[in-house]
C-alpha cells in the first residue's frame, strides 16, 4: 500500500539538477558564496520581489543572528504557536521568551495582547506568520515604534506570500525563511534572511560569515551560516517549478475546502489582502478526542497527517511560559492534512471520505 505523508519533497527532474552540478564541477568551487549561491540570490530577489536577500544554510541560523543583534539578551515577546525553532532560537541566544497568546482563527500572535507583556527588559518581538498566514503587521509595527522595540518575523512558511501587494518578507526589521526539504521551496537544507535597513543588513551579512571583512580583518563577531553551492544547485533546479507547484497545491486546497465543508472541521482563516502560498492545510477539530480518532483512522489507512503545531511552545520544558489558553487549546485540536504536488485525486478523495465517515 502506498504511504501518504503530510508532505512530500518536490524533486526536480534529475537532469536539471545535474546541469547545476556540472557547473559546480566546472568551477571546482563548493562554498563561500560561489556563482550558484549568487545566482540563486538574484533569481529569488526577482521571483519574490524583495529589496535584498542573503541565503543561509538553514532557516534557524538567521533567527539566531537576528536575535543576537536585536534581542541582546533581553525579553522577546513571541508566539507559543510555531515550530520549536522559534522559541529554541530565543533561549539559545540567551534571551527570555515571553509568550503572548494567539488569535483563535488566524492562529498568529494576538496583537491586542502584546502591549500588556512589554516590560523594561523587552527588546524585540519575534512572531511567526503561521502556515504562511501573515500576522497583523501594521498593529505590530505601531506597537514596536511606540515602545522602541525591534520586530523579527519567522517567515519560514512564507515563500511567495504577498501581503497588501508586497512580499511578506519586506515587513519587520528582519524576516527569515526556511528552505528545508519539507518547505514549499527548498534547497534540501537552507534558508534566507531579509532586511531593508542597509546598516543592519550589513551586520546580518557579516554575522553569517564569521564576521569577515575580507580575508584578514573582521567587522565583528560572526558565525557560519553560509549556504553551499550544492544547496544552491537544488534551489536553482527547483525554482523554475514554483508557479506550477503553488498552482497545483491551490487546487488541492480548494478541493479540501469544498469537500470538508462541515461544522466539525474548521480551516484556517487567511488574513485579508493576502496572496497566500497554500503551504499547509491545517484543520481545527472540535476536540482532541476527535482529532485522535481522525488521526487513528487515517494512520490505519497508511495516511500520516501531522499534529502541527503541538505542543504549544509555552509548555515545552526549556521555555517555562505562562498558561496560553487559546494556543494550548488550538494546539490540541489542529491537524495538518497531506498537501503536496502529485497527491492524487483518488488519495485526496480517500482522505476526505475517511474524515467525513469518522465525523459525520
Ligand atoms: C522549518 C521552520 C523553522 C526552521 O527552519 P530550518 O530551515 O529547518 O532550520 C523555523 N521556524 C518555523 C516556523 C519553521 O516551520
Amino acid at each position: 500500500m502506498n504511504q501518504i505523508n503530510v508532505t512530500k519533497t518536490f524533486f526536480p527532474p534529475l537532469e536539471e539538477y545535474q546541469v547545476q552540478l556540472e557547473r559546480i564541477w566546472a568551477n571546482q568551487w563548493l562554498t563561500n558564496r560561489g556563482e550558484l549561491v549568487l545566482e540563486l540570490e538574484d533569481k529569488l530577489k526577482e521571483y519574490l520581489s524583495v529589496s535584498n536577500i542573503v541565503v543561509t544554510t538553514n532557516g534557524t541560523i538567521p533567527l539566531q543572528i537576528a536575535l543576537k543583534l536585536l534581542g541582546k539578551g533581553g525579553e522577546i515577546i513571541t508566539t507559543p504557536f510555531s515550530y520549536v525553532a522559534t522559541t529554541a532560537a530565543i533561549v539559545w541566544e540567551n534571551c527570555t521568551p515571553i509568550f503572548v497568546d494567539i488569535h483563535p482563527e488566524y492562529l498568529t500572535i494576538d496583537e491586542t495582547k502584546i502591549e500588556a507583556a512589554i516590560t523594561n527588559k523587552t527588546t524585540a518581538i519575534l512572531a511567526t506568520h503561521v502556515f504562511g498566514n501573515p500576522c497583523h503587521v501594521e498593529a505590530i509595527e505601531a506597537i514596536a515604534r511606540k515602545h522602541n522595540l525591534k520586530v523579527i518575523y519567522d517567515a519560514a512558511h512564507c515563500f511567495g506570500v504577498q501581503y497588501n501587494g508586497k512580499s511578506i518578507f519586506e515587513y519587520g526589521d528582519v524576516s527569515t525563511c526556511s528552505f528545508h526539504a519539507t518547505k514549499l521551496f527548498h534547497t534540501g537544507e537552507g534558508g534566507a534572511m531579509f532586511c531593508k535597513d542597509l546598516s543592519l543588513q550589513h551586520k546580518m551579512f557579516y554575522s553569517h560569515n564569521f564576521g569577515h571583512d575580507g580575508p584578514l580583518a573582521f567587522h565583528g563577531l560572526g558565525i557560519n551560516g553560509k549556504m553551499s553551492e550544492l544547496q544552491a544547485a537544488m534551489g536553482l533546479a527547483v525554482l523554475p517549478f514554483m508557479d506550477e507547484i503553488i498552482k497545483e497545491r491551490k487546487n488541492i486546497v480548494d478541493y479540501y475546502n469544498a469537500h470538508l465543508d462541515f461544522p466539525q472541521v474548521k480551516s484556517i482563516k487567511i488574513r485579508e489582502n493576502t496572496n497566500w502560498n497554500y503551504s499547509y492545510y491545517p484543520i481545527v477539530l472540535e476536540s482532541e478526542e476527535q482529532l485522535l480518532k481522525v488521526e487513528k483512522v487515517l494512520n490505519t489507512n497508511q495516511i500520516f497527517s501531522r499534529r502541527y503545531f503541538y505542543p504549544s511552545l509555552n509548555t515545552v520544558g526549556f521555555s517555562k511560559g505562562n498558561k496560553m489558553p487559546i494556543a494550548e487549546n488550538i494546539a490540541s485540536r489542529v491537524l495538518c492534512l497531506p498537501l503536496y504536488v502529485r497527491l492524487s485525486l483518488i488519495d485526496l478523495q480517500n482522505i476526505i471520505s475517511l474524515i467525513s465517515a469518522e465525523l459525520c
Side-chain angles (χ1 to χ4, degrees):
M1 202 172 355
N2 77 330
Q3 179 173 320
I4 298 170
N5 292 319
V6 67
T7 192
K8 189 170 175 182
T9 299
F10 176 82
F11 277 78
L14 185 56
E15 312 81 72
E16 306 200 12
Y17 185 49
Q18 271 166 346
V19 168
Q20 301 302 333
L21 291 182
E22 277 161 18
R23 296 174 63 197
I24 298 176
W25 260 250
N27 291 339
Q28 293 281 293
W29 188 273
L30 275 176
T31 189
N32 287 357
R33 299 184 53 77
E35 183 183 301
L36 277 75
V37 160
L38 299 182
E39 185 176 312
L40 181 64
E41 285 181 346
D42 277 349
K43 290 198 162 153
L44 286 174
K45 207 169 133 177
E46 191 187 320
Y47 183 83
L48 299 167
S49 301
V50 288
S51 41
N52 65 62
I53 176 172
V54 177
V55 294
T56 53
T57 196
N58 60 49
T60 303
I61 198 83
L63 287 175
Q64 289 180 234
I65 293 171
L67 286 161
K68 178 80 77 191
L69 293 171
L70 304 176
K72 300 185 170 142
E75 291 180 355
I76 312 294
I77 290 181
T78 193
T79 176
F81 193 68
S82 182
Y83 182 57
V84 69
T86 315
T87 307
I90 295 173
V91 178
W92 198 267
E93 290 304 326
N94 291 316
C95 298
T96 307
I98 302 294
F99 294 100
V100 164
D101 215 345
I102 59 169
H103 188 281
E105 288 176 293
Y106 295 122
L107 310 184
T108 48
I109 195 166
D110 185 343
E111 64 280 355
T112 66
K113 294 180 178 156
I114 291 177
E115 277 199 286
I118 296 174
T119 72
N120 57 9
K121 294 191 193 126
T122 311
T123 50
I125 300 168
L126 169 53
T128 301
H129 303 304
V130 192
F131 306 129
N133 195 22
C135 298
H136 195 318
V137 290
E138 297 88 355
I140 292 173
E141 190 182 334
I143 294 164
R145 278 219 183 120
K146 182 169 157 200
H147 297 273
N148 197 21
L149 303 176
K150 300 296 182 186
V151 180
I152 304 162
Y153 285 116
D154 181 340
H157 302 167
C158 292
F159 190 90
V161 172
Q162 296 219 321
Y163 177 68
N164 268 337
K166 72 177 184 184
S167 168
I168 194 68
F169 299 135
E170 296 283 278
Y171 295 86
D173 292 286
V174 172
S175 193
T176 68
C177 193
S178 167
F179 302 156
H180 184 261
T182 56
K183 301 299 203 284
L184 186 59
F185 167 78
H186 78 92
T187 57
E189 291 272 3
M193 49 198 194
F194 305 86
C195 171
K196 293 181 308 278
D197 177 82
L198 289 179
S199 115
L200 179 58
Q201 138 89 10
H202 174 62
K203 286 186 191 157
M204 299 275 305
F205 181 83
Y206 73 65
S207 298
H208 104 297
N209 184 23
F210 300 108
H212 271 293
D213 177 12
L216 302 177
F218 298 90
H219 292 289
L221 181 67
I223 195 157
N224 183 5
K226 297 186 305 295
M227 179 182 278
S228 81
E229 291 290 272
L230 292 164
Q231 292 168 288
M234 181 59 86
L236 288 169
V238 171
L239 187 59
F241 294 93
M242 288 316 296
D243 286 343
E244 214 178 297
I245 288 171
I246 293 171
K247 208 168 112 197
E248 211 176 304
R249 296 171 72 106
K250 177 182 187 305
N251 290 338
I252 296 170
V253 166
D254 288 346
Y255 197 88
Y256 271 132
N257 281 338
H259 294 86
L260 283 177
D261 187 19
F262 35 87
Q264 295 91 326
V265 174
K266 272 205 271 174
S267 55
I268 189 175
K269 183 174 174 192
I270 301 296
R271 198 172 295 279
E272 303 70 17
N273 303 319
T274 300
N275 202 348
W276 190 42
N277 63 359
Y278 307 92
S279 47
Y280 295 86
Y281 195 77
I283 56 171
V284 180
L285 295 153
E286 283 178 322
S287 65
E288 185 166 26
E289 222 180 320
Q290 216 177 48
L291 175 144
L292 293 172
K293 280 204 287 183
V294 168
E295 195 180 34
K296 188 165 167 214
V297 71
L298 293 175
N299 289 358
T300 309
N301 287 277
Q302 294 298 301
I303 298 160
F304 297 92
S305 51
R306 177 109 190 240
R307 295 186 70 178
Y308 269 149
F309 289 103
Y310 179 87
S312 187
L313 294 169
N314 58 299
T315 67
V316 173
F318 60 80
S319 62
K320 291 185 269 148
N322 295 334
K323 281 208 79 59
M324 295 285 126
I326 299 172
E328 288 173 42
N329 180 272
I330 297 279
S332 74
R333 299 188 283 131
V334 65
L335 196 62
C336 279
L337 299 183
L339 172 58
Y340 51 84
V341 168
R342 288 178 209 127
L343 176 65
S344 74
L345 184 60
I346 291 171
D347 289 338
L348 190 55
Q349 286 167 338
N350 190 26
I351 295 165
I352 289 164
S353 64
L354 288 168
I355 296 174
S356 314
E358 194 58 44
L359 295 178
C360 301

